[in-house]
Amino acid sequence: MAATTYRNATRSDLARIVEIYNSTIPSGMVTADTENVSVESRQKWFDEHDPLKRPLWVMEDSSGQIIGWVSFQSFYGRPAYDATAEIGIYLDAQQRGRGLGKQALQYCIDHAPVLRIKTLLGFIFSHNEPSLKLFRHFGFEDWGTLPNIALLDGQEKSLKILGKRIA
């Protein structure tokens, strides 16, 4: 696999970030969004990322093309949870199934202490076996299930919360 680099996302990357995100919607496996989002609708979300605490990283291949992105989101928005973050990993459709998810999750785990994160969370649909397998590979444990809380294509879906203590 060619080298992948990670860097803080810039405003000019947002269109590509949204494009990759929107490519995951039709599968009903990754996000609870049911229609494409716009760059404008994701601006506030983008602005809430802080490179020193809750980064949004783009993943680039050796030619400098953005092939995926990773975000850290605060959990529950209360100060007592500052050392806990949710991870989101999104890959370009052509890049999925090539080991980049493992690479990205390892990168997040390795950098969590620098971000003062002690607990990492993944919120994953229970029918998304590839993502569950990925997180469990790195020692994330099932910390909870929210049964049938999402309605996707007329079917109720459950959400699993996976967690891992880093420090």
Side-chain angles (χ1 to χ4, degrees):
M1 178 181 348
T4 303
T5 57
Y6 298 78
R7 66 170 173 78
N8 289 316
T10 63
R11 201 170 298 273
S12 64
D13 299 324
L14 188 54
R16 179 69 175 133
I17 290 167
V18 167
E19 178 185 1
I20 292 169
Y21 181 82
N22 284 340
S23 76
T24 69
I25 294 172
S27 73
M29 295 273 287
V30 180
T31 177
D33 277 312
T34 56
E35 295 181 8
N36 284 354
V37 300
S38 67
V39 171
E40 296 76 26
S41 73
R42 298 301 279 177
Q43 188 65 58
K44 182 178 183 292
W45 167 85
F46 178 88
D47 292 339
E48 290 170 350
H49 285 86
D50 175 353
L52 300 177
K53 188 174 178 179
R54 296 292 185 265
L56 172 60
W57 294 321
V58 292
M59 302 165 61
E60 293 179 328
D61 64 15
S62 57
S63 67
Q65 297 298 308
I66 295 174
I67 57 173
W69 56 272
V70 178
S71 74
F72 287 80
Q73 293 283 127
S74 292
F75 171 74
Y76 205 59
R78 304 287 195 281
Y81 298 116
D82 277 352
T84 301
E86 175 191 355
I87 299 174
I89 300 171
Y90 291 82
L91 300 173
D92 178 87
Q94 304 302 315
Q95 305 297 326
R96 296 175 198 148
R98 300 177 57 212
L100 288 171
K102 280 186 179 177
Q103 187 186 99
L105 189 49
Q106 184 65 62
Y107 191 85
C108 291
I109 292 167
D110 292 346
H111 287 80
V114 176
L115 301 169
R116 296 191 186 117
I117 295 171
K118 294 182 179 180
T119 304
L120 292 172
L121 300 173
F123 290 75
I124 303 169
F125 284 129
S126 60
H127 62 284
N128 185 346
E129 284 299 326
S131 291
L132 292 170
K133 182 179 176 184
L134 169 65
F135 276 71
R136 289 174 179 150
H137 173 81
F138 285 94
F140 281 74
E141 300 172 328
D142 288 39
W143 284 0
T145 301
L146 304 174
N148 300 325
I149 66 163
L151 187 63
L152 295 170
D153 293 326
Q155 295 185 354
E156 292 183 331
K157 302 291 183 178
S158 298
L159 184 72
K160 292 214 172 268
I161 302 169
L162 277 68
K164 180 179 176 76
R165 220 25 210 168
I166 301 299

